[in-house]
Amino acid sequence: LWVWSKSAVDPARAHAIRLRLVAFGMAFTLALLGATALKLWLDFPRPPAALGDLVRVIGDIERHYSLPSGHATYAALVVGALWPLIGRRGRIGLVLYAALVGWSRIAAGMHFPADVLAGWVLGLSCTALAGWLGAGAGQEVVDVRLRADTAAGGDGGVQRMRGHAPA
């Protein structure tokens, strides 16, 4: 996101991307704390511990800390961070990405479907919470920039936001 914000030609777009980066960082921190706390507190068994030899596991067999799926949580964080920045085809790709991550965790024998669903809910919830917490701070930055531009005789960035070059 940082590189994307630096390569954006439109300053308003670059600013929007940087705000998403800050929100992603906040959401990542919240999700890391939330997932760790839930895993330790709930200590749900993984499929090999609950179903024994009925499950084929790809990789090392783990028996504890199944809920929520960390991979699904972080896939949902990526979806939440990029969703407002890309178009319809990109959004379809994001949904496909999250679905494939969830499916891979189930197919590998590491998680139950409920673990994956809980990971998606946690990731999207943390994204929404970070957006809500950061909305006031981000709006203050935009307001300060608009006031400074208007005080200097500009149009408050309205022409730049509409895609027009300043006169």
Side-chain angles (χ1 to χ4, degrees):
L1 286 173
W2 180 257
V3 172
W4 191 9
S5 76
K6 289 298 185 184
S7 66
V9 177
D10 181 19
R13 176 101 172 133
H15 181 67
I17 294 169
R18 281 192 296 275
L19 287 177
R20 294 306 306 163
L21 178 62
V22 170
F24 177 78
M26 290 173 54
F28 183 87
T29 302
L30 290 169
L32 179 66
L33 295 172
T36 302
L38 285 171
K39 283 178 178 281
L40 294 173
W41 180 50
L42 298 173
D43 191 19
F44 276 23
R46 290 184 182 259
L51 302 174
D53 291 336
L54 295 174
V55 177
R56 301 246 185 237
V57 176
I58 299 174
D60 295 333
I61 294 177
E62 296 181 27
R63 301 199 179 276
H64 299 281
Y65 311 119
S66 180
L67 186 99
S69 165
H71 287 79
T73 300
Y74 300 118
L77 288 173
V78 169
V79 169
L82 295 178
W83 191 269
L85 299 174
I86 60 177
R88 184 173 186 219
R89 275 198 278 173
R91 289 177 176 179
I92 291 170
L94 287 174
V95 170
L96 184 61
Y97 160 71
L100 288 173
V101 168
W103 173 82
S104 74
R105 302 312 294 160
I106 296 166
M110 296 296 188
H111 289 285
F112 292 107
D115 303 335
V116 171
L117 183 61
W120 287 334
V121 169
L122 178 63
L124 292 175
S125 298
C126 289
T127 300
L129 180 60
W132 180 74
L133 291 173
Q139 188 60 42
E140 286 175 15
V141 170
V142 172
D143 288 346
V144 166
R145 286 187 176 180
L146 292 178
R147 281 194 305 267
D149 186 48
T150 305
D155 63 0
V158 172
Q159 295 299 321
R160 284 192 307 273
M161 286 184 225
R162 289 185 185 152
H164 302 295

